[in-house]
Amino acid sequence: QRSSGQGLSHLDIDCKEALQQLLRPSYYGIINPWMGSASTRQKQDMILLKKRMEEADRPGKNPYLMADVGKIQITSNPWGRERESNVIPITADRIQADLLRNQSGAEQRDVRRERERQYMARYSEIPSTASVADFFQLSKTPVLEHHTMKVLTDRVRGKLKHWQVLGPERNPHEAAEMMRGLQTLAAACERLPSYSEYSATSSNKVHERLFGYSQVVPRGNRTLKAVPKLRRTPLSSSAPILLRPLLDPAELEAISRPGGTAVQLNDCEPLQRMKNIARSSQSQVQMSMGPTDWSTTSRDMAKDYA
């Protein structure tokens, strides 16, 4: 449904309100242009971030107040992330092994496990090592170390720190969606045109560049740079690319020098083949007993086929 006033859906209104609470005022200019191209899932991620920040204000949701009254104990993992001490962390490879395990008919018919597999497949349009790292990042590293924190307000950063103590273990799916939302915000802010980029391409004088930049990037809604297109599909560890070995021109030139045809252990296959061809055409060996008849191996083989 759409509101009759501005032609915006309820999802758009909630998303815009969420972005206004999450972002610093200096980044408000990206809200309207980003919402014009954002998908429904991306808008829902912004609303989820806002909801978790609002829940952090409730007395029963603040883990530090709970620790003060002795309800929980807080500890830090080796990467500096604070979490509840009695929670056993589970690694990503263990979760993957549990999802792929089918040792009985009951496990094959497990509806919950199949639903979990489908969720992992829908989390990213193109699964890769980066998407898997994003899925588990908030359960491992402190959220304040993420590069998106520079565009968020101080209040939001503090609420995110409070939420991370208990949130990733209580609901891993929401943690993954919140991380996806933070990555979306970071990508949108990186598309803002900067003064340094304008100065590098401007032909105006130094004292005129600032005025020219104000005309190109006016206050209010900003025009975001185009999304960079990928030249090829991102790779994953399960589908690596096989690149052709690059031959150094110095290695090719060294073949014609004395001793350059000796094959080394670390030589790639094309280089080994070129050295073998060069050695067979240059080396002379005695082909028969009696009078010495020196000939190259390639020349002798050519006589046999003549």
Side-chain angles (χ1 to χ4, degrees):
Q1 297 180 359
R2 293 184 174 274
S3 60
S4 58
Q6 300 179 355
L8 299 176
S9 64
H10 295 295
L11 178 64
D12 293 336
I13 296 174
D14 293 340
C15 179
K16 186 174 183 179
E17 182 182 354
L19 289 172
Q20 290 175 346
Q21 295 185 16
L22 295 173
L23 294 173
R24 291 175 176 269
S26 57
Y27 289 94
Y28 282 177
I30 72 170
I31 294 179
N32 288 337
W34 177 82
M35 290 183 57
S37 59
S39 62
T40 301
R41 187 184 66 179
Q42 292 174 334
K43 295 176 183 178
Q44 291 173 348
D45 292 341
M46 300 300 111
I47 297 174
L48 177 62
L49 281 170
K50 173 199 168 187
K51 289 182 178 178
R52 295 300 166 261
M53 297 308 99
E54 292 176 348
E55 287 183 358
D57 291 332
R58 302 176 186 175
K61 297 288 185 178
N62 192 328
Y64 294 96
L65 295 179
M66 298 172 65
D68 291 340
V69 298
K71 291 185 177 181
I72 63 172
Q73 294 181 356
I74 298 178
T75 185
S76 298
N77 67 357
W79 294 273
R81 180 230 158 178
E82 295 182 342
R83 60 176 177 82
E84 191 176 0
S85 59
N86 61 350
V87 173
I88 300 177
I90 303 177
T91 59
D93 55 347
R94 171 58 187 273
I95 295 177
Q96 183 183 27
D98 293 341
L99 290 177
L100 300 179
R101 185 179 61 216
N102 280 324
Q103 298 179 351
S104 63
E107 291 182 350
Q108 295 178 4
R109 296 187 298 268
D110 191 348
V111 179
R112 184 193 61 81
R113 183 173 299 178
E114 182 62 26
R115 191 183 303 113
E116 187 76 12
R117 293 171 184 163
Q118 294 176 1
Y119 178 84
M120 296 289 290
R122 295 193 306 267
Y123 177 73
S124 178
E125 297 178 357
I126 304 177
S128 62
T129 53
S131 64
V132 175
D134 289 344
F135 194 95
F136 297 99
Q137 185 169 353
L138 290 181
S139 62
K140 180 180 178 181
T141 58
V143 66
L144 296 183
E145 294 183 0
H146 193 263
H147 56 278
T148 316
M149 295 297 108
K150 63 181 180 181
V151 305
L152 303 180
T153 62
D154 296 338
R155 176 181 174 276
V156 172
R157 290 200 298 266
K159 299 304 178 182
L160 278 174
K161 181 182 177 181
H162 291 181
W163 168 87
Q164 196 184 18
V165 177
L166 302 173
E169 282 75 23
R170 291 186 174 181
N171 198 327
H173 289 181
E174 284 191 353
E177 294 168 3
M178 291 175 66
M179 188 66 218
R180 187 174 59 192
L182 292 176
Q183 293 285 23
T184 302
L185 283 179
C189 294
E190 288 176 357
R191 292 170 55 196
L192 278 174
S194 62
Y195 176 73
S196 59
E197 294 175 346
Y198 172 79
S199 300
T201 58
S202 176
S203 59
N204 296 336
K205 297 180 180 180
V206 177
H207 63 278
E208 297 176 350
R209 290 178 184 174
L210 189 59
F211 175 76
Y213 177 70
S214 65
Q215 302 301 312
V216 176
V217 187
R219 290 187 175 183
N221 297 335
R222 301 291 184 90
T223 301
L224 302 182
K225 295 181 291 185
V227 179
K229 296 183 179 180
L230 298 176
R231 296 184 178 180
R232 60 172 181 262
T233 303
L235 303 174
S236 64
S237 57
S238 60
I241 187 172
L242 300 178
L243 298 175
R244 298 181 59 185
L246 299 178
L247 298 179
D248 190 356
E251 294 178 344
L252 299 178
E253 185 180 356
I255 296 178
S256 59
R257 298 175 184 172
T261 57
V263 179
Q264 304 296 329
L265 181 62
N266 296 329
D267 290 344
C268 60
E269 183 179 349
L271 184 59
Q272 293 178 5
R273 182 173 63 252
M274 297 175 66
K275 288 185 177 181
N276 290 333
I277 294 175
R279 185 171 60 253
S280 64
S281 62
Q282 297 174 4
S283 302
Q284 294 185 351
V285 295
Q286 184 178 358
M287 294 301 174
S288 61
M289 300 298 294
T292 303
D293 182 16
W294 298 95
S295 176
T296 61
T297 55
S298 60
R299 192 184 310 163
D300 189 71
M301 294 174 63
K303 293 179 182 179
D304 296 339
Y305 290 98

